[in-house]
Amino acid sequence: MANLRISLAVVLFQAVLYRSSDALWCNCTTAECEKTGSLCETDGACMASTSVFEGQEQHIRTCLNQDKLVPPGQPFYCRGAEGYVNTHCCYTDFCNSIDLKVPTGTTSPGHDGGYGPGGTWGLIQLVAVVAGPLFLLCLLLLLGMFLYQYHQRAYNHRQRLEVEDPSCDHLYLAKDRTLQDLIYDLSTSGSGSGLPLFVQRTVARTIVLQEIIGKGRFGEVWRGRWRGGDVAVKIFSSREERSWFREAEIYQTIMLRHENILGFIAADNKDNGTWTQLWLVSDYHEHGSLCDSLHRYSVTTEGMIKLALSAASGLAHLHMEILGTQGKPGIAHRDLKSKNILVKKNCTCAIADLGLAVRHDSATDTIDIAPNQRVGTKRYMAPEVLDETINTRHFDSFKCADIYALGLVYWEIARRFNSGGVHEEYQLPYFDLVPSDPSIEEMRKVVCDQKLRPNIANWWQSYEALRVMGKIMRECWYANGAARLTALRVKKTLSQLSVQEDIKV
Ligand SMILES: Nc1ncnc2c1ncn2[C@@H]1O[C@H](COP(=O)(O)OP(=O)(O)OP(=O)(O)O)[C@@H](O)[C@H]1O
Ligand SMILES: [Mg+2]
């Protein structure tokens, strides 16, 4: 301690002794100053700096000459570096004899193999540094997955809505749209096979039934109301599910819609807990069936031709195969009769009850269901159906059987022809030859064995329209199915007749 005091006094003495004007004496710890007693003289500044290098504190005191004090005011050498070096420059003698604090924060690497304040980051900090970003990355990934799944679920939900939720129906069923609008859209949209199923269901479930209008083999027919308009609802009993399904299927055959085929609207199967209600909704025609209508009214020449021609048009469309992607297969009705033809407001016909129909696949020359030989109404069965000689593998056979039945319907119409107030009462075909509910055997005897047909009265020859009708009937009734007229031929003949008679159809 005494030595230190002596050396300091010597230093001070030397400093005062050798001092030049403007010179500044500073403490100096560098190697060059060993000779000068840890002193240095400068025209610039005294500098002290403290740093940590490889875990060791280092204290440096020295002189900085004027040429090193650049840039002026903020010399590089006088700047510290936060966390690395604490530096102090001053301009009075020995002003750098101070102890600067060890810098805080990140120092040079190496201390304890770690980082951090004073180079002493621990394992926890290291783990935090590595795991933190990893954790954040995982969090982002999870968030991404969650958002993706949410989006997928929302998308699937939307898809399902579009298929079955009636809440989407507004797209089709805007409040001010009538059935006619809907059907018009259908016929112009090119879908050609009917309303989407969920719209059918919604329409069916918002119908209010009004009154029963008929009963058939498969169930009841009701008049219903939908948006201020009438619709017909055929309600099948649960055990007739197959008939319901088949009829709905046939009605939805692509491109079937035609002015002379009953306009199909909807099919719906509604389970009320105890049983399933099977509905088939179609256009309603207030005149009812042709049979009902002929019971009530006689027909003029115009009425007869219109009914006959429109029925032929409907049947020709049904029978016809239309080729192409938007085409339709040939369809045979197999239960054509006056009860299954409806009379529209404009006194033309709409063919209905397609539940027994068969479709032809021309590519494979097959029929879309295995046809049982004898279906339909016995009274209207063609001779080859009655005696079971019909070739069921040949689609045209079914069309020929339809033509036979069309001839019988024409006979029912023609009988009601009103010539100057004189007309015959309504009768079913073969009314005079078989009982009211004839058996197959009874029909077969009359039609196949005795080869009898409904009577074409001689006086029919006196009226051109009746004469033509009589001729068509005969040509529809040939025992040989292949010899019969086609629906298209009948249509053409009646078209010519309507021109001849100056009738607008
Ligand atoms: N769309 C409709 N518009 C108006 N009346 C209809 C309509 N559909 C059917 N009807 C009436 O309901 C009656 C019953 O029809 P349905 O088809 O159930 O039996 P059917 O034709 O009399 O006998 P079948 O069971 O042998 O076909 C018809 O005769 C007709 O009077
Ligand atoms: Mg019917």
Side-chain angles (χ1 to χ4, degrees):
M1 194 68 182
N3 283 347
L4 191 70
R5 255 190 229 133
I6 292 165
S7 63
L8 194 62
V10 170
V11 164
L12 280 172
F13 171 75
Q14 285 178 340
V16 172
L17 200 66
Y18 302 110
R19 175 178 194 139
S20 55
S21 58
D22 291 337
L24 185 66
W25 286 96
C26 308
N27 260 329
C28 184
T29 55
T30 58
E32 305 98 81
C33 298
E34 273 171 13
K35 286 181 215 144
T36 57
S38 300
L39 287 175
C40 59
E41 187 186 19
T42 177
D43 55 351
C46 301
M47 190 262 261
S49 84
T50 304
S51 61
V52 176
F53 183 71
E54 291 185 343
Q56 302 286 318
E57 284 180 27
Q58 291 194 339
H59 297 271
I60 296 169
R61 291 182 189 126
T62 188
C63 288
L64 286 177
N65 285 337
Q66 187 66 42
D67 58 333
K68 288 195 176 153
L69 296 180
V70 288
Q74 254 194 327
F76 288 121
Y77 286 102
C78 298
R79 274 189 217 164
E82 201 176 333
Y84 290 91
V85 189
N86 268 347
T87 305
H88 175 71
C89 288
C90 48
Y91 304 91
T92 53
D93 288 333
F94 305 108
C95 60
N96 62 343
S97 326
I98 50 167
D99 279 328
L100 289 177
K101 276 190 187 156
V102 175
T104 53
T106 308
T107 59
S108 54
H111 180 66
D112 287 344
Y115 293 81
T120 53
W121 274 23
L123 192 66
I124 294 174
Q125 284 98 325
L126 190 69
V127 168
V129 165
V130 177
L134 255 175
F135 176 73
L136 224 101
L137 196 74
C138 288
L139 209 73
L140 280 173
L141 265 171
L142 274 172
L143 190 79
M145 271 165 62
F146 171 77
L147 283 175
Y148 175 77
Q149 280 202 340
Y150 177 79
H151 177 264
Q152 275 301 101
R153 242 182 284 133
Y155 176 77
N156 289 342
H157 183 60
R158 253 198 330 273
Q159 291 287 93
R160 239 181 301 126
L161 283 183
E162 273 159 29
V163 174
E164 60 190 29
D165 190 336
S167 61
C168 289
D169 294 353
H170 64 275
L171 297 174
Y172 294 85
L173 300 174
K175 286 236 159 12
D176 54 341
R177 302 185 79 202
T178 62
L179 268 179
Q180 275 63 41
D181 296 334
L182 282 177
I183 304 298
Y184 176 78
D185 286 357
L186 272 184
S187 49
T188 51
S189 69
S191 88
S193 56
L195 291 170
L197 292 183
F198 67 97
V199 178
Q200 290 189 28
R201 173 167 289 190
T202 307
V203 170
R205 291 182 184 189
T206 43
I207 288 172
V208 183
L209 295 181
Q210 306 288 314
E211 60 183 327
I212 189 162
I213 49 178
K215 258 190 178 142
R217 269 172 301 180
F218 302 117
E220 298 168 344
V221 179
W222 287 71
R223 180 174 67 83
R225 299 284 290 170
W226 194 78
R227 294 211 174 159
D230 285 318
V231 289
V233 183
K234 191 165 171 179
I235 304 178
F236 291 69
S237 56
S238 329
R239 56 196 154 77
E240 296 296 349
E241 184 163 4
R242 281 178 63 178
S243 311
W244 165 81
F245 184 85
R246 179 66 180 163
E247 190 157 3
E249 183 180 47
I250 295 279
Y251 268 118
Q252 288 172 97
T253 303
I254 192 156
M255 300 307 280
L256 178 63
R257 292 196 86 79
H258 186 271
E259 58 183 330
N260 302 119
I261 291 176
L262 178 63
F264 169 81
I265 297 170
D268 183 33
N269 52 341
K270 186 164 51 178
D271 198 334
N272 71 359
T274 324
W275 75 91
T276 313
Q277 279 207 343
L278 305 164
W279 282 25
L280 213 117
V281 185
S282 66
D283 291 343
Y284 171 78
H285 298 297
E286 61 189 58
H287 292 311
S289 70
L290 180 62
C291 178
D292 302 333
S293 215
L294 292 174
H295 258 291
R296 267 180 255 133
Y297 310 108
S298 60
V299 294
T300 60
T301 306
E302 182 179 349
M304 177 172 74
I305 294 175
K306 272 176 96 168
L307 288 172
L309 176 53
S310 55
S313 298
L315 191 64
H317 180 71
L318 199 66
H319 281 182
M320 182 167 42
E321 178 184 3
I322 301 173
L323 295 170
T325 42
Q326 283 288 305
K328 90 172 243 310
I331 300 174
H333 191 289
R334 298 206 302 164
D335 195 17
L336 198 66
K337 58 178 176 176
S338 56
K339 274 190 170 181
N340 286 344
I341 296 175
L342 297 161
V343 178
K344 305 207 306 189
K345 243 197 190 117
N346 62 1
C347 294
T348 59
C349 291
I351 296 175
D353 288 71
L354 300 184
L356 290 174
V358 284
R359 293 182 289 200
H360 184 220
D361 180 349
S362 60
T364 54
D365 193 22
T366 52
I367 290 157
D368 71 337
I369 52 162
N372 28 354
Q373 277 200 324
R374 277 204 212 125
V375 292
T377 306
K378 294 169 194 112
R379 189 181 293 273
Y380 288 83
M381 280 178 184
E384 64 275 19
V385 178
L386 289 167
D387 67 11
E388 297 180 82
T389 56
I390 185 168
N391 179 357
T392 54
R393 281 192 306 257
H394 189 42
F395 176 70
D396 277 2
S397 318
F398 296 107
K399 294 206 285 190
C400 297
D402 280 350
I403 293 292
Y404 169 86
L406 182 72
L408 295 181
V409 171
Y410 280 3
W411 179 85
E412 292 170 71
I413 299 172
R415 252 184 79 90
R416 297 294 280 154
F417 179 77
N418 188 331
S419 62
V422 182
H423 53 85
E424 288 179 286
E425 50 168 8
Y426 173 78
Q427 284 297 351
L428 282 168
Y430 300 110
F431 73 102
D432 48 350
L433 299 171
V434 294
S436 67
D437 184 17
S439 65
I440 295 237
E441 197 44 35
E442 285 165 330
M443 285 307 305
R444 197 190 57 76
K445 269 194 189 135
V446 170
V447 177
C448 304
D449 296 351
Q450 298 171 41
K451 300 194 186 327
L452 294 174
R453 298 291 186 268
N455 183 40
I456 294 174
N458 282 336
W459 66 267
W460 287 17
Q461 302 301 316
S462 330
Y463 296 88
E464 177 59 7
L466 265 188
R467 188 191 66 77
V468 173
M469 286 288 286
K471 184 166 182 290
I472 292 173
M473 284 172 221
R474 279 202 199 91
E475 292 178 27
C476 288
W477 291 337
Y478 290 133
N480 173 9
R484 293 172 202 151
L485 298 173
T486 62
L488 205 59
R489 184 70 257 162
V490 174
K491 181 182 164 182
K492 282 182 181 162
T493 306
L494 288 171
S495 285
Q496 283 162 4
L497 180 63
S498 69
V499 172
Q500 224 172 290
E501 298 280 327
D502 202 18
I503 290 160
K504 286 189 185 66
V505 277

